[in-house]
Amino acid sequence: MTKEMPSLRCIIGTLFIALLLPPGSFPATTLSPSFYDETCPTVFSIIRGIIEQALLSDPRIGASLLRLHFHDCFVNGCDASILLDNSATIESEKEAAPNNNSARGFEVVDAMKIALEFECPGIVSCADILAIAAQEAVNLAGGPSWLVLLGRRDSTTANRTLANLAIPAAFETLDVLKSKFAAVGLNTSTDLVALSGAHTFGRAQCTIVIERLYNFNGTGKADPTLNATYLETLRKVCPQGGNGSVLVNLDPTTPNTFDSNYYTNLQAQEGLLQSDQELFSTSGADTIEIVERFSSNQIAFFESFVVSMLKMGNISPVTGTEGEIRLSCRRVHMDYTSSNKWSSS
């Protein structure tokens, strides 16, 4: 299965975007869209093909893969630390509150790594797999395509404590969201609003929104920013005392499509997560105008989303001779070789 060639607009646009990134955004060892051109030229088609296959049985896998990249980059940079399992040396970020029983898609990433190790042994990092998978997932859902900057290496550590603190949460206020974006070098206006637009596809569990529906901030009432009709719809799907693992569409209008309807939903007070609705319903916020602009101009949203994704993907990458290229995305080399030695014995 071959990947469609990026459009000329995509190529020119991505190169132009690189010029827009602020000074100091790139590490000393610059990431490059051509990093694997000689060593693993089929990397994109392999990853895209596996996502296409996964989508046949799991329509939300694209959103899940994009989320893995987000949650990875917010914790010590885009280094694939989120993929590491618990071991004698690793306290996995998978068990941090924002990820536990929530982050998913790890088996699909495993399939990508296995296929790439067969095709290009020891070449493609797990961190770059997440970056490419995020772009392919967005594009397969109808969103933009861009030239992914590559050349990251994988971390040899994880940081569950920081994952609990740094990853934006569904129940947070706009001020808290802004502080978390600023902490990783993203701006608190356009980057925040554009990257939040990733919630234009995918699902969330009832347990994430139940307090908002019945006991917002301990009031015993629903969040007043929720549209009354939408509230009743959500209460039918997520009854009080019901099954918290039931899934709700993040975008009630086009749940599997990457588009600007997310912002139109916010204007109608139909943002599923408090963190989403905060962008439009916080009085006097500088994010309101951006929501309105993206709602009325999908191209503007797509262009800003690409810029912000490139910036986020460039948060503290491990490059050069630092880190490693894992053989399994779930384990660092030391744990992987030890495990294989015992398996052989």
Side-chain angles (χ1 to χ4, degrees):
M1 191 169 298
T2 58
K3 177 179 181 288
E4 292 182 6
M5 290 297 291
S7 66
L8 181 60
R9 175 175 179 166
C10 168
I11 295 172
I12 295 173
T14 306
L15 294 176
F16 175 68
I17 283 162
L19 298 177
L20 296 179
L21 297 179
S25 287
F26 289 92
T29 304
T30 304
L31 302 180
S32 166
S34 60
F35 190 81
Y36 297 113
D37 281 4
E38 300 297 326
T39 56
C40 194
T42 57
V43 59
F44 282 91
S45 60
I46 288 172
I47 290 174
R48 187 180 183 92
I50 290 172
I51 298 174
E52 287 177 323
Q53 187 64 34
L55 284 167
L56 296 177
S57 58
D58 184 0
R60 64 187 178 119
I61 192 62
S64 298
L65 292 169
L66 176 58
R67 186 167 180 252
L68 285 181
H69 185 45
F70 272 55
H71 284 209
D72 181 43
C73 290
F74 270 80
V75 182
N76 287 340
C78 309
D79 59 2
S81 59
I82 193 173
L83 301 178
L84 291 170
D85 286 341
N86 283 319
S87 73
T89 60
I90 298 294
E91 188 176 58
S92 176
E93 293 170 17
K94 295 177 182 179
E95 295 181 13
N99 298 327
N100 196 28
N101 297 318
S102 175
R104 60 190 299 275
F106 299 108
E107 294 80 7
V108 176
V109 175
D110 291 341
M112 294 171 185
K113 183 61 173 173
I114 290 168
L116 288 166
E117 284 301 307
F118 180 81
E119 181 76 12
C120 321
I123 298 296
V124 182
S125 70
C126 300
D128 278 346
I129 289 174
L130 288 182
I132 295 170
Q135 184 272 323
E136 296 292 354
V138 167
N139 186 237
L140 284 168
S145 179
W146 61 94
L147 298 183
V148 184
L149 299 176
L150 301 167
R152 302 168 190 80
R153 289 167 64 84
D154 299 322
S155 71
T156 56
T157 60
N159 192 333
R160 186 187 299 174
T161 299
L162 185 59
N164 278 316
L165 296 173
I167 297 172
F171 53 81
E172 289 174 335
T173 65
L174 183 59
D175 284 343
V176 175
L177 296 172
K178 283 175 172 281
S179 69
K180 290 187 174 182
F181 271 66
V184 295
L186 297 171
N187 72 53
T188 60
S189 52
T190 305
D191 288 339
L192 171 57
V193 179
L195 292 175
S196 295
H199 289 165
T200 187
F201 68 156
R203 316 285 188 270
Q205 297 179 47
C206 283
T207 188
I208 300 297
V209 298
I210 200 75
E211 293 294 317
R212 190 171 183 230
L213 305 184
Y214 298 98
N215 189 28
F216 182 65
N217 288 343
T219 61
K221 300 178 182 179
D223 183 344
T225 66
L226 268 171
N227 175 289
T229 302
Y230 185 50
L231 171 62
E232 291 309 309
T233 299
L234 291 175
R235 282 179 166 176
K236 290 176 183 177
V237 180
C238 303
Q240 203 163 18
N243 183 353
S245 63
V246 170
L247 298 175
V248 190
N249 293 329
L250 285 165
D251 178 348
T253 52
T254 51
N256 298 322
T257 304
F258 196 96
D259 56 27
S260 61
N261 283 346
Y262 165 83
Y263 300 103
T264 306
N265 297 335
L266 298 187
Q267 290 177 304
Q269 295 184 296
E270 293 181 357
L272 179 64
L273 308 180
Q274 176 189 345
S275 57
D276 291 330
Q277 196 60 52
E278 289 272 334
L279 302 176
F280 187 74
S281 295
T282 302
S283 180
D286 59 353
T287 53
I288 295 173
E289 178 275 327
I290 304 171
V291 169
E292 292 173 337
R293 175 157 45 90
F294 289 168
S295 173
S296 62
N297 188 339
Q298 183 165 280
I299 292 176
F301 163 46
F302 281 5
E303 290 175 346
S304 292
F305 183 79
V306 170
V307 173
S308 296
M309 283 295 292
L310 287 169
K311 290 172 66 177
M312 186 185 74
N314 198 59
I315 297 172
S316 304
V318 180
T319 59
T321 58
E322 299 298 315
E324 64 184 22
I325 306 297
R326 295 182 207 144
L327 298 179
S328 164
C329 290
R330 294 175 179 265
R331 291 173 284 183
V332 298
H333 271 317
M334 183 181 298
D335 291 338
Y336 182 83
T337 53
S338 297
S339 173
N340 278 0
K341 181 178 69 175
W342 285 108
S343 296
S344 299
S345 299

